Amino acid sequence: MTKHIYLFGNNHAEGSAEMKNLLGGKGANLAEMTNLGISVPPGFTITTDVCNYYYDNNLNYPSDLDNQMNDALRQTEVVMGKGFGSTDNPLLFSVRSGARQSMPGMMETVLNIGLTSKTIPGLIAKTGNKRFVYDSYRRLITMYADVVMEKAAGVETKSRKGIRHQLETILFDHKEEKGYSEDADLSGDDWIVVSDKFKKQIKEQLGEEFPDDTYAQLWGSVTAVFKSWNGKRAISYRKIENIPEEWGTAVNVQAMVFGNTGKGSATGVAFTRNPATGENVFYGEWLQNAQGEDVVAGLRTPNPLNESTKTDDNQDALSLESFLPQVYNDLDAIRIKLEKHYTDMQDIEFTIEEGRLWMLQTRSGKRNGPAAIKIAVDMFHENLINKERAVLRVSPNQIDELLHPMVDPEEETRSELLAKGLPAGPGGATGQIVFTADDAEAWKKENRVVVLVRDETSPEDVHGMHAAAAILTSKGGMTSHAALVARGWGKCCIVGCNSLQINTDEKTLTVNGVVLKEGDSLTLNGTAGKVYRGKLGLLNADPGTNKEYAELMTWADEIRTLKVRTNAERPEDSVLARSFGAQGIGLCRTEHMFFDPKRILAVRKMILAGSEEARRTAVMELLPYQRDDFRGILEAMNDLPVTIRLLDPPLHEFMPQNNEQINELADELNISADAIRIRISNLHELNPMLGHRGCRLGIAYPEITEMQSRAIFEATAELIKNDINVFPEVMVPLVGTYTEFENQEAIVRKIADAVMEENSVKFNYLVGTMIELPRAALTADEIAQKAEFFSFGTNDLTQTTYGFSRDDIGGFLPDYLEQKVLTHDPFQSLDQSGVGQLVKMGVDKGRSIRENLKIGICGEHGGDPTSIDFCHRIGLDYVSCSPYRVPVARLAAAHSAIINA
Ligand code: PEP
Ligand code: MG
């Protein structure tokens, strides 16, 4: 016989907290509290397996559920000393959902089940409280009509207005008629009148009578909860939170206790610590003479739980601590007991019936990043958890909240979403819309805060991107130009926001019929990819002043084995990354240095050169600039390794984009604009990402590799002479064959030897390669014969393994995710089963030749916690990510070390 039902009550439960998968979070914790001797109203949990059975069997229940349920009802009756349906001492039930993971407000609840024309008189006689009984009755009618008769049955009301709303209108009218201002003003007789009107309205609008039978009410409610698992709200919540459909929900049937019997009764919710700050204070709200739904519904403003958490606004409100001190003390003792037992902050619900305290729920409380850190560190010092558990208590992404301003979550829940895109750069920002990089820069100079809105960005836009508080693009994916650059600067950025129609000429932005102009305000939540109209409030971030953060990160560093480097090009970024704990530079993209207005001219001259000699002369103009750049970052990273990559992108990216720029360049170089146009069209490639880029440039134009190597080594020589310890690692991009690497390595070494000799100095350096093409991974053993290190460029490796253009995936990714063709964006989180195989093969083959081959990753995945865990497991030495991701990666690496120990 399969057990469908698990009982709890009278200090004994058949389930436990470990059984969340079968009993759901609520059911498992009700069982656990019962076993802890905490007073929980007795009842039983119908398992999630029954939910799955119900859906797998055409909405039918297992045949023996009925019998098991009757047994459970009988046992609960015994514990309570009351009878379900009894005319003189009736027992009422609540029915609540409870999935494995909490889904707040997504599923249904029905209270006061069992009130019928037969049981009502008995309950009135027993309690002597007609008002309470009919108040409970009207609540049952409202919830049942809404949840069971309308939503679960899929019936539409005659007038097409929701039945709950209709019943609320009846109540409102009754109050108006009688001159009452609050529900509390209604007498028992008033509630009788209102209940009768409710039932009439239900019959008329839904075509059926409200059931006057206890069992019909109970089964109707249980079924409605199971059905709510596949309600619209629950389905969309599951999608957002990645909760599998197969989990199903459990149903909890529990004896009612009443917070609405009079002034000595109450209901409330609380957190065992402050969930917004993490402070170790009991924090919650309560309502006198009320049932749980009243707190949630927001019709009445709840009172603060205790004196210490009162604010300026509720100084005069009555706290539970002063109104019912004994009950408050009991509740506080339970708070401490639960924290000790669960060793975590709890979110609890309770009811007080005539001065007696009952616990209705406990679960691990949701908290924000700063609170998570404080609670974890405090709990370590309170000897509740060890360092490893403290480190695991904070999710790497919560660290992010400390590094960026955030959109005020409260304002966010109140605001209507305008559009959704890919969360490319975290944090929140608000500003006025501009459509060009030049405008962004100009407006910033006038002290205005702007959001740069573009279809996509190019290196030409970086000045405006830098000036903007946030960047929003309609195209592009997680490794598009906008995403890379924004992340590097820790800037809020949303890309691939397909619903935007941008008209740069007219300077308008149209989203789902809403037209916005230049200067209108937008707010971006870059952590979630959400765009809002207007100006929402921001919460500031400053990890420097947070001592718990510093302590937690020290523990993370003690625990982790994976090193964390940063992707950075400028000395300022390197310094910042170092302050965040970076242990070197894993990728310096030299081309990012080429767009400075002074240098771009030399770059363009180099590209336009007609002969090797002319090109060599132009390239050499870049040498002093590059030497300065490299000196800057090597010095900023003294004592730490710095990986500098040779030129990577196709040359056309550096060419002028419009006529004005072409004419300017023609004047400067004293050649015709047409000659430039011809050269640009010669450079045009049908598929530039697979075209003349990476080491293919250095092979065709060795003088570029020579110049860059010389700049690196001359800077090195100078710093070494000044007793500054530097460790340059020269990296060749987009290698697919041993011979490509061999070709470039020979040039680099030749220049290194020459610089050492010219400067009469010796220095150490490495020459290694990116592994970012499938062929490089497949032949890693050949390449490792020469290469001294590998760095996985998983952006290109993902692009070339899937054959998905990293710049165009935004066009179809939303469909792929929607239709579950992909579970996630492979440019954001590494595709471990496909691309990951190539990475693993690269590691194994590389180390089969060089046992201690140094291996890292410098694609965007180096900052993604799940991908970092993969890197840890396959034995990489380090991950490299943008400066603002460094703390996230440090914590993620510590998590991996603990989990995989
Ligand atoms: C990569 O391809 O993963 C990489 C780091 O290089 P880029 O993004 O510059 O192509
Ligand atoms: Mg690459």
Side-chain angles (χ1 to χ4, degrees), residues 76-111:
T76 311
E77 287 175 330
V78 171
V79 177
M80 288 300 280
K82 299 181 183 180
F84 186 49
S86 154
T87 49
D88 53 349
N89 192 11
L91 175 60
L92 307 190
F93 282 104
S94 69
V95 166
R96 292 184 171 93
S97 62
R100 201 185 291 194
Q101 184 181 318
S102 110
M103 296 170 59
M106 295 304 131
M107 288 183 296
E108 306 295 359
T109 295
V110 183
L111 305 181

Side-chain angles (χ1 to χ4, degrees), residues 438-463:
D438 289 343
D439 285 341
E441 198 175 49
W443 287 42
K444 167 85 189 293
K445 283 204 180 109
E446 291 167 16
N447 287 326
R448 287 192 272 183
V449 181
V450 298
V451 175
L452 177 61
V453 181
R454 312 267 311 153
D455 275 326
E456 57 203 337
T457 63
S458 82
E460 290 275 331
D461 295 319
V462 284
H463 60 295

Side-chain angles (χ1 to χ4, degrees), residues 163-281:
I163 192 72
R164 183 184 277 270
H165 175 78
Q166 295 185 35
L167 302 185
E168 277 162 5
T169 310
I170 291 174
L171 174 56
F172 181 85
D173 291 345
H174 184 86
K175 285 200 291 197
E176 282 247 298
E177 196 182 300
K178 294 280 185 141
Y180 298 152
S181 63
E182 292 189 24
D183 287 3
D185 300 333
L186 274 78
S187 66
D189 288 329
D190 283 318
W191 286 124
I192 292 178
V193 175
V194 171
S195 308
D196 281 342
K197 284 188 186 165
F198 277 12
K199 286 191 282 185
K200 246 190 231 126
Q201 185 80 358
I202 290 167
K203 171 86 184 71
E204 194 183 299
Q205 288 288 322
L206 293 168
E208 279 209 47
E209 297 277 1
F210 169 74
D212 193 35
D213 175 81
T214 49
Y215 281 87
Q217 289 174 2
L218 181 61
W219 277 103
S221 303
V222 167
T223 300
V225 171
F226 280 133
K227 279 195 168 163
S228 69
W229 176 250
N230 269 348
K232 238 202 214 144
R233 270 180 300 163
I235 289 175
S236 27
Y237 186 85
R238 283 209 293 275
K239 227 188 248 163
I240 296 167
E241 295 286 320
N242 277 326
I243 297 175
E245 190 182 329
E246 311 80 69
W247 281 6
T249 182
V251 176
N252 299 292
V253 180
Q254 199 175 8
M256 277 300 300
V257 289
F258 300 96
N260 60 332
T261 58
K263 292 225 158 93
S265 297
T267 183
V269 294
F271 291 90
T272 55
R273 302 187 184 211
N274 185 326
T277 62
E279 214 191 332
N280 190 0
V281 291

Side-chain angles (χ1 to χ4, degrees), residues 724-743:
I724 297 171
N725 255 339
V726 295
F727 301 99
E729 302 175 341
V730 181
M731 181 155 75
V732 185
L734 217 74
V735 162
T737 71
Y738 167 81
T739 44
E740 284 174 327
F741 181 76
E742 186 186 33
N743 175 299

Side-chain angles (χ1 to χ4, degrees), residues 587 589 645 648 689 693 733-734 770 772 793-797 799 806 858-859:
L587 173 64
R589 293 179 166 102
R645 182 177 71 185
D648 183 34
M689 267 294 178
R693 59 169 287 218
L734 217 74
M770 302 275 293
E772 51 183 342
T794 42
N795 302 334
D796 275 310
L797 193 58
Q799 168 164 263
R806 55 196 270 190
C858 63

